[in-house]
Structure formats: C-alpha cells, structure tokens
C-alpha cells in the first residue's frame, strides 16, 4: 500500500488509498486526504467510486474510471453551556445533549435551575447527572438570572437555553451570553406555539400564537444574535424522562383497565426519542452556518395516532389493550387533565433539519417503547397503587365495567 505523509508544526497531510490496485466493477475504493490539528480541525476527503455505467465516462481510464467527490467538514471543538430546566419533560433534552456533546469531545457545562440538594434532583434525569461528570462534563446549580456570577465570569462559544418559556426568564441569559462573547445562541422553544391548522403537519414558517411566551423569546434572540437557532420539540420519550406520557398507557394496560381516549382516537401526534433531539442540537453546534437563522421542528419524522400509541404501548408490554372512546364535553371532563396528549391533531415535521443539517430520525416507537416498559417494570411502577378517579368517572358515564 502506498502512503505519503507530510509532517511539520502545521496540520498534517495524510494520503492513504485503501488499495493499490483497481478493483472490479462491483467494488469501490476510497482515497482520503485528511487535515488535522490538536484543537481546531477540519477534514478534506476525496473518495473515488467506480461507476456502474462506464459509457458515461470517457478517457484513458475506461470502465474503471472513478468519480471523485470532495467534501470538507469542520470539527472545531466548542465550549458549550446548557441552561437546563429543573422540571417538566424538557429536562431530559439537556441531559442527552450534554452526553452527546461530550461524546463528540466538546467541553460542556450544564447549569440547572435551583439547588443540587433539592428533592427534584433525586428524580430522573437529575439523579443520573453523574454520567455527565464521568464523561468529563461539569454540573452546576443556580439562578439563570444570575448566570454570570454563578459561572464566575467564564465565557462559552455556544449557549443553549433549555429553561425559560418567556422573555422575562430568558432575557438575562441572552444578554449575558451576548456580553460575554458567545458566538452562537440556541433556544428550546415548543411546537405548542403553532396555531391549530386544517393542514397538518406543522412545518417551519406556519403561523404561531402571537401571545405565546416562546414567540417573544424567539424574536429577541433574532434581534440580539448574529448566529442563532431555535428548536421546537413536541412529546418525547427516552430513558431519564420524568414526564408521564407512555407511562400513562402502561399504568392502565398492566392493570387490565380500559384505556379511555378522547373522541375518535385518530388524532395525529408526534413522539420522538430524545436522542433525536440531542443529535439535531449537536449538528447545529457543529454546523453553525447551516443552522443559522433557522427554526427547527425538533421532532421525529413519523406521526402516530392516539389509538396507535395505546396499541404500541400494549405491544411493548406484551398485553392486550381495551380502548374506549368518549366525548369530553358530553361527559363534562377536561381532557387536558384526563389524558396526557392534546385532544386535536398535533403533529409537526422536521423539514428544516433534514434539508439544512442533513439530519435523519432514528425514533422507532415499537422498539423505543420496549425500552421504556423495561424501565417501568424495573422501578416497580406496575405494583404501585394508583388512583384512577377521572378514568372511573369516564367509564361510569360510558357504563364500561372496570376489573376489580
């Protein structure tokens, strides 16, 4: 094998073809040129692929002619601050994002709202923050409004706010990030700000509710930062999540109770594994130019019906499911309190992430729900006493018997 290496104090040039001979028509060969340095690096790759249609290429190489493609990718290591909420479903985003960044050799500090000794920190994902520390990250607690003093004047390349829902709570972080020299600002917004549409799914650019708190934050970020991106997640699953979504279904399925779903059950929603959300965020950090000035629906690329979610949860549990439908208004039930998802089509697509970042979804609900059910059993939730007061009211009105 031929190999040429140029070594000096500057980045090195390595040229190493995988084979010194031309391969048959059905094979491929790769010639890679890579440039690297200790902290800031980029790579240039040149990959010949032998063509299946030699007639399309002329010249002395004949049928073994190769089509060369050249691509350059930046691999600059960033110093990232994650301002993380201490409650709700979004907390797990910061946890996964921190771990993914660390896995890609970035430097990460995660600032969580509140105090490390609080009862909230005894719950997932906070009780797993040792995984961040063991991977080389740093965890601190405090008030985001005093982020500068909490961090002792430290500066970061990238700041993500995964906490605030309105400008009052996020503005101090934005202003501090700007004044301290952060190059990129990212914000976890919400797909809940979209107006209800007759043409689902929601796509980036659709109308939003003007009075939604996230909208004011998005606008202020755009006015303040030259490099920014906003992410609008929906429902999510994944190890470490502390908001009941799939657990709501498991609670009923394992106890052989009917699963009451409002209206037809055909309403579409979007449930993404949090690893998809963190991978999208990481791509934005590593490709700031591609992500710049963009709103991303931070979701998977498939919808699921409400009935479908119940069936998939039952499949993951290996049990049958008894779905019953009801009209919330006729029964006098607030569906927001009786059911974990919105009672309308609430479905977005990740079009911007696919086209601008080259992102792809890995969410696989049948398999991902198996993971969640294993954890559900592991913590013994299937044995815990649970009250089903609203369920009982619904089932009584429908005259549906409940197993004792």
């Amino acid at each position: 094998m031929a190999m040429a290496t140029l070594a000096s104090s500057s980045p090195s040039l390595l040229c190493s073809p995988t084979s010194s001979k031309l391969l048959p028509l059905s094979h491929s060969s790769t010639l890679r040129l890579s440039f690297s340095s200790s902290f800031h690096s980029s790579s240039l790759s040149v990959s010949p692929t032998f063509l299946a249609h030699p007639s399309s290429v002329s010249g002395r190489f004949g049928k073994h002619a190769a089509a060369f493609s050249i691509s350059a990718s930046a691999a600059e290591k960033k110093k990232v601050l994650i301002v993380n909420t201490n409650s709700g479903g979004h907390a797990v985003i910061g946890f996964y994002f921190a771990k993914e960044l660390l896995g890609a050799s970035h430097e990460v500090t995660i600032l969580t709202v509140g105090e490390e000794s609080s009862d909230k920190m005894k719950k997932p994902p906070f009780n797993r923050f040792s995984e961040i520390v063991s991977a080389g990250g740093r965890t601190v607690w405090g008030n985001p409004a005093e982020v500068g003093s909490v961090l002792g004047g430290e500066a970061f390349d990238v700041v993500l706010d995964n906490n605030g829902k309105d400008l009052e709570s996020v503005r101090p972080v934005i202003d501090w990030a700007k004044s301290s020299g952060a190059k990129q600002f990212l914000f976890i917004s919400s797909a809940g700000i979209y107006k209800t549409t007759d043409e689902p799914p929601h796509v980036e650019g659709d109308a939003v509710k003007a009075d939604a708190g996230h909208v004011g934050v998005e606008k202020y970020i755009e006015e303040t930062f030259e490099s920014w991106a906003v992410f609008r997640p929906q429902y999510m699953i994944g190890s470490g999540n502390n908001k009941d979504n799939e657990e709501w279904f498991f609670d009923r399925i394992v106890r052989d109770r009917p699963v009451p779903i409002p209206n037809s059950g055909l309403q579409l929603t979007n449930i993404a594994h949090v690893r998809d959300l963190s991978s999208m965020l990481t791509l934005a950090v590593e490709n700031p130019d591609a992500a710049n000035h963009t709103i991303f629906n931070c979701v998977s690329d498939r919808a699921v019906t409400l009935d479908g979610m119940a069936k998939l949860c039952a499949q993951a549990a290996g049990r049958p499911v008894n779905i019953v439908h009801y009209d919330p208004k006729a029964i006098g039930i607030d569906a927001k309190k009786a059911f974990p998802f919105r009672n309308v089509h609430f479905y977005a697509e990740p079009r911007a992430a696919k086209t601008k970042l080259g992102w792809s979804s890995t969410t696989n609900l049948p398999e991902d729900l198996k993971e969640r059910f294993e954890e559900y059993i592991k913590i013994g939730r299937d044995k815990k006493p649970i009250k089903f007061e609203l369920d009982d009211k619904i089932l009584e009105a429908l005259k549906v018997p409940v197993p004792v």
Side-chain angles (χ1 to χ4, degrees), residues 6 76 190 224 276 330:
L6 174 65
E76 180 185 352
S190 171
T224 306
D276 274 356

Side-chain angles (χ1 to χ4, degrees), residues 34-62:
S34 63
F35 298 83
S36 62
S37 62
S38 59
F39 189 76
H40 299 285
S41 65
S42 61
S43 64
L44 173 66
S45 63
V46 184
S47 303
T49 302
F50 293 100
L51 302 175
H53 303 287
S55 61
S56 63
V57 179
S58 61
R60 64 187 180 89
F61 292 101

Side-chain angles (χ1 to χ4, degrees), residues 365-379:
L365 279 182
E367 293 302 317
D368 294 333
L369 285 168
K370 289 179 183 178
E371 173 196 51
R372 297 299 290 140
F373 185 70
E374 288 174 1
E375 292 191 354
Y376 178 89
I377 297 297
K378 184 177 181 180
I379 65 174

Side-chain angles (χ1 to χ4, degrees), residues 238-250:
S239 179
N241 194 7
N242 63 16
K243 186 173 183 179
D244 287 354
N245 285 330
E246 61 274 16
E247 292 88 350
W248 185 93
F249 294 91
F250 293 150

Side-chain angles (χ1 to χ4, degrees), residues 266-382:
L266 297 179
Q267 303 96 308
L268 293 171
T269 194
N270 187 300
I271 302 168
H273 196 289
V274 69
R275 66 172 175 266
D276 274 356
L277 282 59
S278 64
S279 69
M280 190 183 296
L281 287 162
T282 300
L283 282 172
V285 169
E286 296 183 339
N287 301 276
D289 291 340
N292 196 18
H293 290 197
T294 304
I295 290 172
F296 296 97
N297 285 337
C298 205
V299 297
S300 71
D301 57 2
R302 294 195 68 175
V304 62
T305 65
L306 300 184
D307 275 6
M309 183 62 178
K311 294 174 183 177
L312 290 173
C313 285
Q315 179 180 311
R319 294 172 179 255
V321 61
N322 176 21
I323 298 172
V324 296
H325 298 118
Y326 65 95
D327 181 346
K329 291 183 179 179
I331 297 178
I333 288 287
D334 184 353
K336 292 181 180 179
K337 295 180 179 179
F339 191 68
F341 299 121
R342 285 171 171 79
N343 182 28
V344 293
H345 289 304
F346 182 47
Y347 168 40
E349 281 190 352
R351 295 185 183 179
K354 287 186 171 185
T355 57
K356 290 200 167 189
L357 299 178
W359 173 90
S360 60
S361 173
T362 66
T363 296
N364 182 329
L365 279 182
E367 293 302 317
D368 294 333
L369 285 168
K370 289 179 183 178
E371 173 196 51
R372 297 299 290 140
F373 185 70
E374 288 174 1
E375 292 191 354
Y376 178 89
I377 297 297
K378 184 177 181 180
I379 65 174
R381 179 157 165 167
D382 58 320

